[in-house]
Amino acid sequence: MNDFTMAKGDDGVAVITWDVPEKSMNVMSLHGLQELSDLFDDALADEAVKGIVITSGKDGSFAGGMDLNILAKMKEDAGDDPARGLFEGTMQMHALLRKIELAGMDFKTKKGGKPVAAALPGTAAGIGLELPLATHRIFVADNPKARIGLPEIMVGIFPGAGGTTRLVRKLGAMGASQFLLEGKMVDPKKAKSAGLIDEVVADPLAAARDWVLNAKGADLVKPWDAKGYKMPGGAPYHPAGFMTFVGANAMVHGKTQGAFPAPKALLSAVYEGALVDFDTALRIEARWFTNVLMNPSSGAMIRSLFLNKEALEKGAVRPAGVPDQTVKKLGVLGAGMMGAGIALVSAMAGIEVVLIDRDQAAADKGKAYAESYADKGIKRGKSTPEKKEAMLGLINATPDLDALKGCDLIIEAVFEDPSVKAEMTQKVEAIIPEDCIFASNTSTLPITELAKASARQEQFIGIHFFSPVEKMLLVEIIKGANTGDRAVAKALDYVRQIRKTPIVVNDARFFYANRCIIPYMNEMLRMITEGVAMPLIDHAALQMGFPVGPVQLNDETSIDLGAKIARATKAAMGNAYPDNPGDDLIFWMEEQGRLGRKSKAGFFDYDEAGKRQGYWAGVTDKYPLLDDQPDLIEVQERLMFSQALEAVRALEEGVLMDIREGDVGAILGWGFAPWSGGPLSWLDIIGTPYAAERCDALTEAFGPRFTCPPLLREMAAKGQSFYGRFGPKAAAA
């Protein structure tokens, strides 16, 4: 079966339809590229064909991008010179799109070509937009759900099939920046306003067909191929253009701190390409695209943020043989911040929700959170009053437990106290159907222990959301010792319904995410007590690609939460609890009433509006700064290894069952250096032998918390990588 087919009409229009078999959305493959090239050559050679329309056979979409296996194939085919393979393969794509753009016209005179239009039924992303950009006119269906853009930067690369060069020449560097540097995806009308596409119409195929039949020769010549072309906003050597590029360089470095290779390479391709003719610019784009692809960061980001994330969302770890467990009626116990957020995202997904709290006022307050969220959406033009009413109509806020009858999933989000949770579990299980799955949203309490209060432990599971629920993409599903497959499948199917990414881990104190976050925060606290400057700690993390530094993160998540976790852990572990001077710091901060942003006083000072004003001097009064501050790399290593070693231990102990979940969970859960692909990918980038060596040095300097885990030591001795040993290919072998 073919990815592309062509039908030649009696009116002289050849329609090339992209429709990849057994795919809900088109993706470009190597054989697809060849098919498109052959069909286009056929249409150009046929004198009866007056014009060409390229469209999609998929309802509501044109294409979702490229099959990233193409890149791996290009490398493999080149043998010992993968860079050459990538560059030549990229240039072949450029040649095809340039052939479409010129459409048979004489290269020098730019005359004699055939008109080519793109008719997009909906969403066009990546190569799905780069291909239309090479045509002479882009028509898109008036479909508000469709999204148009170039999101490659979000997974560690940039548009390398001509999209970068064409968009900059079409919109100018400033106009293109939001799509190239931010990966912004917009609806068709906004895409037209921005200049990405040409027309938004009810029937794009009919409009495109009509256009190619009436197009004139001048309509086929792209601005950059016309004599006297000037780049919108000015080229780099123009005064206005010069200032644009200076500003763009500063903006990119400010946002990325130099940690992400793709934005820098993109800017280089744009700047250098703007100094030369169009065809040379395409070659420059291909070279920088190859440069990024050869960077291990690129491969790690693509693997974690695209391939692994997509696999987990599609059920890669779902138990086999369990029928569909779509949630029809959800009960949420507790209408506080977490419960209200869970109710909101569930109702937004069309699920009927019963939101329970101790009295009507408390339950109504939880529902009001959803109402406030909807009002903000209406104000920003992202929702409508009708959608708001429909969503709120799905939430029944009540103190009446009998309203839970008929629920097929319960999520408990009450106070983090085992006795309170146990009492609620028993009360609710007496009311709900026998086959209802019961989940706890606890962030730290072991699921196996909480399940002891349940009469149906095989139906008891952990579903750990991150705050704020509506913004955070990750959900951590925790299997207790007796949790059955149906409970796991139910949790996974529910997470898919609410459009979030799940990871499934085995039960242990702090599960996976908090197990890694807590040592990270503790290391930050230790450094403060040692006299390391707070700005140095935060900026060390920022320059490793973290979205915020750990000092700021502690203020955002609330200092008293850390104090509560420390006390609970100490009580549970007794004498086994490790000595941690950071505890003294957070207990002192708690005593001072400095609980973080929520109290407008924490490690930072805040104004009345809650805006940070700078680091609080009281911390350095209590813990004086070192005269000689540590090296930046030392601080970064302490922060990185405190998390990565805990990820290794989680894998070693069987808490992590799939290496992909360790990396995806770290990036989506707490923002672990996305450029690295996650903690296990980061260890692969630096190499297990070097990682073990650094563990030994850190242990000698700072103590046994940096002791090299036996698994890492073994892998270092064998020269193994984590994905080489535990990745999907290794597991399947």
Side-chain angles (χ1 to χ4, degrees), residues 48-64:
V49 172
K50 299 174 183 176
I52 303 162
V53 174
I54 301 174
T55 189
S56 164
K58 306 296 183 188
D59 185 28
S61 73
F62 180 68

Side-chain angles (χ1 to χ4, degrees), residues 538-721:
D538 269 349
H539 283 277
L542 290 171
Q543 290 184 30
M544 286 300 288
F546 286 80
V548 296
V551 182
Q552 182 184 335
L553 181 62
N554 207 352
D555 261 22
E556 300 289 345
T557 56
S558 82
I559 289 165
D560 56 326
L561 175 62
K564 287 174 185 174
I565 291 172
R567 288 193 192 94
T569 308
K570 196 169 188 175
M573 295 180 68
N575 292 333
Y577 185 76
D579 175 57
N580 182 8
D583 288 352
D584 296 333
L585 171 55
I586 58 168
F587 293 153
W588 175 72
M589 293 286 286
E590 187 182 41
E591 289 168 8
Q592 302 297 311
R594 299 190 71 89
L595 308 181
R597 179 186 283 276
K598 69 179 183 181
S599 67
K600 296 180 182 176
F603 286 104
F604 287 86
D605 287 319
Y606 296 85
D607 63 16
E608 284 303 310
K611 186 177 180 181
R612 287 189 308 280
Q613 298 299 296
Y615 294 93
W616 179 47
V619 175
T620 51
D621 289 341
K622 185 171 178 62
Y623 298 98
L625 293 173
L626 291 168
D627 291 334
D628 294 320
Q629 289 291 308
D631 182 74
L632 172 69
I633 301 300
E634 177 185 294
V635 175
Q636 289 178 329
E637 285 194 335
R638 290 178 68 176
L639 295 175
M640 292 292 279
F641 275 99
S642 64
Q643 301 167 78
L645 295 184
E646 213 51 55
V648 174
R649 293 180 188 117
L651 182 65
E652 192 173 44
E653 295 167 18
V655 174
L656 273 179
M657 295 176 286
D658 189 310
I659 190 174
R660 296 173 292 184
E661 295 176 304
D663 279 343
V664 173
I667 295 173
L668 300 186
W670 69 94
F672 183 95
W675 65 267
S676 71
L680 300 167
S681 286
W682 177 68
L683 291 171
D684 277 355
I685 288 174
I686 66 173
T688 53
Y690 179 73
E693 179 185 312
R694 295 310 303 148
C695 283
D696 294 340
L698 289 167
T699 301
E700 184 177 345
F702 303 108
R705 64 188 180 280
F706 290 108
T707 299
C708 185
L711 175 61
L712 178 56
R713 180 78 69 195
E714 176 200 337
M715 293 175 64
K718 295 178 179 177
Q720 292 177 326
S721 68

